[in-house]
Amino acid sequence: MIYKFTSRAKKTIEIAKEEARLLGHSYIGTEHILYGLIKEGAGVACRVLLNQGIQAQEVENKIIEMIGKENIEEKKYWVWITLINGLGIKKLRKLLEIYKKPKNMFNLTKKELLNISGISGKIVDNIINEKTKNELNKHIKYMLNNNIDIISIQDSKYPQLLRQIYDPPIALYIKGNRKILNGNNIAIIGCRNASEYGKKASKYFSYNLTKCGLNIVSGLAKGIDSYSHMGNI
């Protein structure tokens, strides 16, 4: 399908393309120009379109339309399982061993779920909770508008080193340059109530390690963790 845009929309798209480029989003021009923009940087495209006076609902509808049904359909089920209260990684891994993908779990009945050993009635109620399912579109729209993506453990882009730990997360919400997930990473962690020397040291090391091409990883806690990230930016 070829999408046609007004002259104002075309100018807007060119601005969005440039902003996407400056923010590091890869882009290859095709006739599906806005589709490519939204796929690589929905938040950028949406913000620029809104700034140019195009109505929010129109932008939202265009994003949902052009992002591709198959893409949203696949990812929304991974978003769904992260929203289920009480469903820990071990139980979730067991369900994925049986059903392979969360999409196959979405319409399971209470009776079917209760037949699975180790899954309590309370967790079953949370899995089939209609409120959680009905709020999925709200979460998807928020992610698109803020350029947030989700990567599952079944995705080839999932961090390979993280996959090797004892209890890796089933899915990761990401924002920014996803290429660094499988780059050269080093962890800097420390106490929350850091001394002045510790703060300076963490900033110094992270700054110089970043200059050498290493990405800084931490738990984003207060103290040393935070100062290590301040150092590398």
Side-chain angles (χ1 to χ4, degrees), residues 187-195 198-207 210 216-233:
I188 296 181
I189 56 174
C191 61
R192 286 177 169 80
N193 298 317
S195 66
K199 295 174 185 177
K200 290 178 181 178
S202 62
K203 291 173 72 173
Y204 171 82
F205 281 112
S206 64
Y207 172 76
T210 301
I216 308 302
V217 178
S218 82
L220 290 179
K222 290 182 179 180
I224 296 298
D225 294 35
S226 298
Y227 280 94
S228 67
H229 288 294
M230 290 179 191
N232 78 347
I233 58 174

Side-chain angles (χ1 to χ4, degrees), residues 45-64:
C46 185
R47 175 166 55 80
V48 174
L49 289 169
L50 289 173
N51 287 343
Q52 292 292 315
I54 298 176
Q55 294 299 309
Q57 189 61 50
E58 183 182 341
V59 173
E60 184 178 285
N61 291 341
K62 189 63 71 175
I63 286 175
I64 295 298

Side-chain angles (χ1 to χ4, degrees), residues 72-86:
I72 285 209
E73 283 298 306
E74 183 65 27
K75 291 190 175 182
K76 83 173 186 179
Y77 297 107
W78 289 102
V79 173
W80 167 63
I81 60 172
T82 70
L83 300 174
I84 300 171
N85 290 329

Side-chain angles (χ1 to χ4, degrees), residues 80-93 95 105 118-119 123-124 126-127 170:
W80 167 63
I81 60 172
T82 70
L83 300 174
I84 300 171
N85 290 329
L87 185 58
I89 290 178
K90 290 182 179 179
K91 289 184 175 64
L92 181 50
R93 186 172 288 115
L95 288 170
M105 298 158 45
I119 307 297
I123 293 177
V124 168
N126 291 340
I127 292 174
I170 292 297

Side-chain angles (χ1 to χ4, degrees), residues 9-228:
K10 288 178 181 178
K11 183 179 179 182
T12 297
I13 289 166
E14 289 304 314
I15 295 171
K17 278 179 66 178
E18 180 62 16
E19 290 212 15
R21 186 187 67 78
L22 292 173
L23 289 174
H25 298 298
S26 60
Y27 181 78
I28 300 174
T30 69
E31 61 190 15
H32 304 288
I33 189 165
L34 191 54
Y35 170 81
L37 265 176
I38 290 170
K39 186 176 180 183
E40 295 293 340
V44 176
C46 185
R47 175 166 55 80
V48 174
L49 289 169
L50 289 173
N51 287 343
Q52 292 292 315
I54 298 176
Q55 294 299 309
Q57 189 61 50
E58 183 182 341
V59 173
E60 184 178 285
N61 291 341
K62 189 63 71 175
I63 286 175
I64 295 298
E65 173 189 350
M66 292 187 178
I67 197 71
K69 250 186 182 180
E70 67 291 340
N71 195 27
I72 285 209
E73 283 298 306
E74 183 65 27
K75 291 190 175 182
K76 83 173 186 179
Y77 297 107
W78 289 102
V79 173
W80 167 63
I81 60 172
T82 70
L83 300 174
I84 300 171
N85 290 329
L87 185 58
I89 290 178
K90 290 182 179 179
K91 289 184 175 64
L92 181 50
R93 186 172 288 115
K94 181 174 185 177
L95 288 170
L96 288 173
E97 286 175 1
I98 299 171
Y99 297 103
K100 309 306 178 187
K101 291 182 177 292
K103 181 178 181 179
N104 300 330
M105 298 158 45
F106 194 74
N107 292 314
L108 291 176
T109 66
K110 185 170 185 176
K111 183 178 180 181
E112 288 172 318
L113 288 165
L114 286 173
N115 285 331
I116 302 171
S117 62
I119 307 297
S120 68
K122 184 176 181 180
I123 293 177
V124 168
D125 288 338
N126 291 340
I127 292 174
I128 65 175
N129 187 300
E130 288 299 321
K131 183 180 178 181
T132 303
K133 294 180 179 180
N134 293 335
E135 289 182 346
L136 265 181
N137 282 341
K138 179 184 75 174
H139 291 285
I140 294 295
K141 289 173 185 176
Y142 179 85
M143 290 169 64
L144 290 172
N145 289 338
N146 290 278
N147 203 22
I148 298 169
D149 200 0
I150 187 169
I151 292 180
S152 79
I153 198 167
Q154 296 178 358
D155 196 312
S156 60
K157 296 173 183 175
Y158 188 93
Q160 297 306 307
L161 289 176
L162 184 62
R163 196 191 296 272
Q164 295 175 30
I165 69 171
Y166 169 70
D167 216 11
I170 292 297
L172 299 172
Y173 287 95
I174 63 170
K175 185 172 184 176
N177 184 1
R178 70 182 65 196
K179 292 180 181 178
I180 67 174
L181 292 174
N182 282 297
N184 295 316
N185 304 316
I186 188 168
I188 296 181
I189 56 174
C191 61
R192 286 177 169 80
N193 298 317
S195 66
E196 288 303 313
Y197 172 77
K199 295 174 185 177
K200 290 178 181 178
S202 62
K203 291 173 72 173
Y204 171 82
F205 281 112
S206 64
Y207 172 76
N208 285 284
L209 288 167
T210 301
K211 286 179 68 175
C212 294
L214 294 172
N215 306 309
I216 308 302
V217 178
S218 82
L220 290 179
K222 290 182 179 180
I224 296 298
D225 294 35
S226 298
Y227 280 94
S228 67

